């Protein structure tokens, strides 16, 4: 079994695994969004492509986009315009390096895991800003600026919510955070009770993280950057064909990655209560993906039931509510850590 | 066996590269399949179907600049909080937890005063 431990062999396996999860996951989420949205709003939704339930709709969309002409408007900055989807996709895929699907099922168990994913996930702002600026279109420019203002405003509650988790776990490695949630919380008689962080007093942190995550994804109710009724499609207005698809795929892939991170930080990640050893490597991915599916459903649910926030309202929400609340959360968690 | 330290870097680099290859491959496939007929009105910037008035790059309101400034302050704060958050357990185990806690509260408190000042100054109210 020499070659199984080989670094390069493992790397190829990890790549294949993550790409499979990301791409099929994104397609499944797109389909789920179409179906759930149509059920929630009493629309028809996809029902034709692929026969039953229109299951092939995202594939058909992808094939259609692949055949479309790749347009760039006159006067646009072609280099930056072409490169923007690369930046978004690279940042999106790179986040998955630290997401643990099992004790050993992780791209790389970085000591700085939590810090790394915050740094990398904020890189996609750069791609969005590049797309908005280079399109030479007023809608795109306004959309890009709004996106940048929104993403930096909600980056802070996201970071500060993660800080509280780091305080509680005492480590920034995501595997370490999952392990910390399996440690004994308290004992009743001879029973050791352990619980995920959401039960151990992080409910406020989880709420802040999820609100900020939805805002980072620029989804309703925080979709001012691509508000269709006023900006057509925001920073994506001029994009067509395959480059648009890449932004689109990236958006759904980061929905999965943010949900996976939320599940890891607050809901116990891949851990199965009472099960230890190598078997967790097999069960872990299923457990994590179930949690991801629940969170993704909630995010889709929010999108199809809530109205959009106005630009100044969403800035006010971030700066006057979420950031002070996140700091309060840090204070509470750190006081508990020191006193008990 | 490769050193763990370099292995982590290589893993991250390969994942980033795969992101680029994914887009590059899709774009190449698109090049091969899609029709190319540049020119005409489809190259004009989209402005709800009428001819665009003026250029694409307009001056924008300065308020986005203030958000960037606020962000910078709090992001630097977050960078300072992370090492503190990691070491809090250690400090409370050697008995100086309360001191370290109060020190961070003073630091965050001062920055929070800045945020309160900015809000009271009306940075967030749009007329």
């Amino acid at each position: 079994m020499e070659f199984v431990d080989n670094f390069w062999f493992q790397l190829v396996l990890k790549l294949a695994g993550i790409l499979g999860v990301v791409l099929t996951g994104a397609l499944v989420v797109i389909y789920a969004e179409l179906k759930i949205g149509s059920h929630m709003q009493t629309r028809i939704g996809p029902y034709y492509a692929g026969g039953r339930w229109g299951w092939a709709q995202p594939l058909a969309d992808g094939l259609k986009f692949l055949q479309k002409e790749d347009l760039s408007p006159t006067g646009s900055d072609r280099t930056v315009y072409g490169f923007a989807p690369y930046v978004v996709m690279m940042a999106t895929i790179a986040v998955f390096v630290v997401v643990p699907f099992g004790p050993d099922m992780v791209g790389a168990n970085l000591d700085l895991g939590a810090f790394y994913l915050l740094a990398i996930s904020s890189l996609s702002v750069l791609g969005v800003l590049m797309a908005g600026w280079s399109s030479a279109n007023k809608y795109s420019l306004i959309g890009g600026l709004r996106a940048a203002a929104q993403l930096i405003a909600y980056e802070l509650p996201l970071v500060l919510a993660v800080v509280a988790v780091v305080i509680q776990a005492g480590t920034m490695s995501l595997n370490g955070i999952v392990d910390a949630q399996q440690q004994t919380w308290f004992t009743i008689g001879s029973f050791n009770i352990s619980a995920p962080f959401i039960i151990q007093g992080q409910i406020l942190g989880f709420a802040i993280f999820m609100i900020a995550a939805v805002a980072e994804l620029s989804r309703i109710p925080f979709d001012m950057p691509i508000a269709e009724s006023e900006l057509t499609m925001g920073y994506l207005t001029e994009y067509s064909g395959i480059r648009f698809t890449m932004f689109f795929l990236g958006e759904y892939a980061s929905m999965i990655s943010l949900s996976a991170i939320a599940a890891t930080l607050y809901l116990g990640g891949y851990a199965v209560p009472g099960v230890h050893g190598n078997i967790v490597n097999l069960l872990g991915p299923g457990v994590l993906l179930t949690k991801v599916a629940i969170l993704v459903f909630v995010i889709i649910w929010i999108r199809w039931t809530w109205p959009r926030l106005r630009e100044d309202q969403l800035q006010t929400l971030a700066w006057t509510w979420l950031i002070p609340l996140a700091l309060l959360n840090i204070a509470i968690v750190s006081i508990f850590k020191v006193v008990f | 066996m490769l050193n763990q330290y370099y292995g982590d870097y290589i893993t991250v680099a390969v994942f980033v590269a795969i992101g680029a290859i994914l887009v590059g491959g899709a774009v190449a496939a698109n090049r091969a399949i899609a029709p190319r007929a540049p020119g005409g009105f489809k190259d004009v910037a989209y402005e709800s179907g009428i001819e665009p008035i003026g250029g694409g790059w307009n001056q924008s309101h300065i308020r986005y600049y203030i958000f960037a400034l606020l962000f910078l302050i709090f992001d630097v704060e977050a960078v300072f909080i992370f090492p503190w958050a990691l070491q809090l357990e250690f400090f409370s185990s050697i008995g100086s937890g309360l001191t370290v806690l109060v020190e961070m509260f003073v630091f965050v408190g001062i920055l929070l005063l800045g945020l309160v000042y900015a809000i009271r100054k009306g940075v967030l109210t749009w007329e």
Side-chain angles (χ1 to χ4, degrees):
Chain A
M1 296 295 274
E2 177 69 29
F3 76 102
V4 177
D5 290 330
N6 185 290
F7 171 78
W8 298 104
F9 178 72
Q10 286 191 350
L11 187 58
V12 171
L13 276 190
K14 285 169 184 169
L15 268 179
I18 299 269
L19 273 186
V21 167
V22 173
L23 294 180
T24 47
L27 288 177
V28 169
V29 174
I30 291 171
Y31 177 70
E33 170 126 276
L34 295 172
K35 263 324 208 194
I36 294 171
S38 60
H39 279 286
M40 283 184 178
Q41 299 198 337
T42 335
R43 303 184 192 196
I44 296 172
Y47 70 100
Y48 183 75
R52 206 161 182 155
W53 302 313
W55 64 270
Q57 189 62 45
L59 288 176
D61 281 346
L63 270 180
K64 183 195 76 179
F65 280 132
L66 197 59
Q67 300 168 47
K68 292 282 180 190
E69 188 178 356
D70 187 18
L71 296 175
S72 53
T74 20
S76 65
D77 189 337
R78 269 160 210 277
T79 324
V80 182
Y81 180 83
F83 193 58
Y86 287 84
V87 174
V88 171
M89 205 43 137
M90 285 192 281
T92 307
I93 301 271
V95 170
F96 281 95
V97 172
V98 289
V99 175
F101 289 90
D104 303 314
M105 306 271 283
V106 55
N109 180 14
L110 305 182
D111 290 338
L112 280 171
F115 204 67
Y116 164 87
L117 70 89
L118 292 170
I120 293 288
S121 66
S122 60
L123 270 185
S124 55
V125 183
L126 214 59
V128 167
L129 202 53
M130 282 164 69
W133 182 259
S134 64
S135 291
N137 181 317
K138 299 186 193 76
Y139 296 144
S140 300
L141 182 58
I142 296 172
L145 285 177
R146 276 184 182 180
Q150 174 175 332
L151 295 181
I152 63 173
Y154 284 89
E155 184 75 21
L156 291 171
L158 199 74
V159 170
L160 295 175
V162 174
V163 168
V165 173
V166 170
I167 291 173
Q168 195 154 5
T171 173
M172 281 203 265
S173 146
L174 290 192
N175 284 69
I177 289 172
V178 173
D179 287 342
Q181 295 176 66
Q182 295 185 74
Q183 301 300 320
T184 308
W185 184 22
F186 58 86
T187 49
I188 303 174
S190 59
F191 288 106
N192 294 331
I193 308 293
S194 65
F197 282 152
I198 187 172
I199 296 171
Q200 295 188 35
Q202 286 278 9
I203 184 93
L204 179 64
F206 179 69
I208 294 169
F209 186 94
M210 282 316 285
I211 294 172
V214 173
E216 288 280 303
L217 293 166
S218 307
R219 288 174 63 86
I220 291 173
F222 303 104
D223 76 329
M224 280 317 278
I226 50 171
E228 293 97 334
S229 50
E230 44 192 277
L231 291 180
T232 312
M233 199 60 192
Y235 55 90
L236 293 174
T237 302
E238 289 298 343
Y239 280 92
S240 65
I242 200 69
R243 286 185 211 275
F244 173 79
T245 317
M246 287 297 132
F247 277 110
F248 201 65
L249 262 186
E251 188 188 310
Y252 282 90
S254 43
M255 218 164 120
I256 296 170
S257 69
L258 276 172
S259 302
I261 291 160
T264 305
L265 294 181
Y266 296 99
L267 307 180
Y270 57 76
V272 194
V275 181
H276 296 283
N278 257 336
I279 192 77
V280 182
N281 276 327
L282 286 176
L283 297 176
V287 173
L288 184 72
L289 288 178
T290 312
K291 289 170 182 172
V292 168
I294 294 169
L295 290 177
V296 163
F297 173 76
V298 172
I299 293 175
I300 292 176
W301 185 7
I302 290 171
R303 161 159 186 186
W304 293 100
T305 43
W306 278 10
R308 179 183 295 145
L309 282 177
R310 215 170 56 211
E311 178 69 18
D312 62 328
Q313 287 170 336
L314 69 84
Q315 291 290 347
T316 314
L317 176 67
W319 292 105
T320 60
W321 289 102
L322 290 183
I323 292 175
L325 275 178
L327 289 172
L328 180 72
N329 185 39
I330 290 179
I332 293 170
V333 171
S334 55
I335 287 172
F336 266 84
K337 184 86 185 176
V338 169
V339 175
F340 295 105
Chain B
M1 186 58 207
L2 208 65
N3 190 320
Q4 165 98 38
Y5 178 78
Y6 293 111
D8 286 348
Y9 274 97
I10 291 171
T11 311
V12 172
V14 167
F15 269 81
V16 170
I18 273 295
I21 290 168
L22 199 68
V23 182
V27 168
N30 176 249
R31 281 252 165 90
I33 300 173
R36 286 174 68 80
F41 272 110
K42 66 185 170 193
D43 284 348
V44 177
Y46 180 78
E47 216 156 277
S48 303
I50 55 171
E51 283 194 36
I53 299 161
W57 286 291
N58 289 8
Q59 287 182 332
S60 300
H61 200 288
I62 197 78
R63 60 169 61 107
Y64 289 116
Y65 164 77
I66 293 171
F67 287 137
L69 270 184
L70 272 178
F71 170 72
L72 206 61
I73 294 164
F74 276 91
D75 215 28
V76 170
E77 174 194 341
V79 168
F80 280 121
I81 288 184
F82 263 108
W84 170 82
L86 271 181
Q87 293 301 324
L88 190 60
E89 205 166 49
F90 166 71
F91 278 115
S92 64
S93 74
I94 61 167
S96 57
L98 224 51
T99 322
V100 175
L101 203 62
V102 170
E103 278 172 353
M104 184 46 82
F105 281 1
V106 170
F107 174 62
V108 171
I110 292 171
L111 283 168
L112 211 55
L113 275 182
L115 181 64
V116 171
Y117 176 76
I119 293 171
R120 292 296 295 273
K121 269 285 191 184
V123 172
L124 295 171
T125 42
W126 295 23
E127 62 288 334

